[in-house]
Amino acid sequence: MKAEDGKFYFMKDSFFEVFKEYKIMENKESGNKRPCYFCFRDRKDERIIWFVPISTKYDKYKKIYESKKSKAGKRPVYNFVFGNVLGKKAVFLIQNIFPTTEKYIEEKYTNSNIDVEIPAVVKEEIIKTALRVVRLAEEGIHIPFYDIIEMKNILLK
């Protein structure tokens, strides 16, 4: 499936089987697939697509963000981006970003067969923050809970 920047997708279970040791947020079934992921292509290698999970547990992550922010002082906190999806508060979990390829994308997330859209300013903030996290990981500073650079290299082999 051809992935488009700024759209939302679901992952195939086979991806989570390949990367089970990384303890990535797995697919859950309860009548609805979840989580869905915001995606964008890597700026250096278009074969890689970065997936950022979203959550509706806004208050939970807002508290975690505020705690991290107070401890960080003047340093930025890159773990989350807050916004709205389909008129509901949502959190983009940058700390849970991971790379994938089109091979592992199951389907696009739509609402009444229409692509789910978010404001351009939120898209830009997610991509900018996520790319900063990827650059930090390349420098050996890991914000995600797993080695996203190692995962990227596995996918490219």
Side-chain angles (χ1 to χ4, degrees), residues 89-102:
K89 289 181 178 180
V91 182
F92 296 84
L93 304 173
I94 307 297
Q95 67 186 15
N96 296 92
I97 190 174
F98 61 86
T100 190
T101 61
E102 290 181 345

Side-chain angles (χ1 to χ4, degrees), residues 127-142:
I127 293 170
K128 178 181 163 190
T129 304
L131 286 173
R132 178 68 179 137
V133 166
V134 171
R135 281 193 303 277
L136 287 169
E138 289 169 343
E139 295 168 8
I141 301 166
H142 298 281

Side-chain angles (χ1 to χ4, degrees), residues 76-91:
V77 176
Y78 298 115
N79 301 72
F80 315 106
V81 172
F82 298 89
N84 288 300
V85 177
L86 296 173
K88 296 179 181 172
K89 289 181 178 180
V91 182

Side-chain angles (χ1 to χ4, degrees), residues 10-107:
F10 295 106
M11 296 296 299
K12 291 180 180 176
D13 288 334
S14 58
F15 175 83
F16 300 103
E17 292 166 14
V18 170
F19 291 102
K20 63 183 165 215
E21 68 213 44
Y22 291 83
K23 303 199 184 327
I24 298 169
M25 297 173 73
E26 292 191 38
N27 287 340
K28 297 177 184 164
E29 298 286 337
S30 60
N32 296 316
K33 292 184 181 205
R34 62 183 179 93
C36 71
Y37 303 89
F38 173 89
C39 83
F40 63 95
R41 291 205 179 265
D42 189 84
R43 299 312 190 236
K44 295 178 187 171
D45 190 328
E46 286 205 0
R47 295 175 293 171
I48 294 296
I49 304 159
W50 293 101
F51 270 51
V52 177
I54 62 171
S55 174
T56 56
K57 296 180 180 176
Y58 189 93
D59 294 335
K60 170 187 173 180
Y61 289 108
K62 193 68 168 176
K63 286 179 186 172
I64 294 169
Y65 172 79
E66 293 301 333
S67 174
K68 287 182 174 292
K69 191 173 167 185
S70 69
K71 291 175 186 171
K74 293 185 180 194
R75 291 184 324 238
V77 176
Y78 298 115
N79 301 72
F80 315 106
V81 172
F82 298 89
N84 288 300
V85 177
L86 296 173
K88 296 179 181 172
K89 289 181 178 180
V91 182
F92 296 84
L93 304 173
I94 307 297
Q95 67 186 15
N96 296 92
I97 190 174
F98 61 86
T100 190
T101 61
E102 290 181 345
K103 170 183 175 179
Y104 294 109
I105 299 172
E106 185 165 329
E107 65 184 294

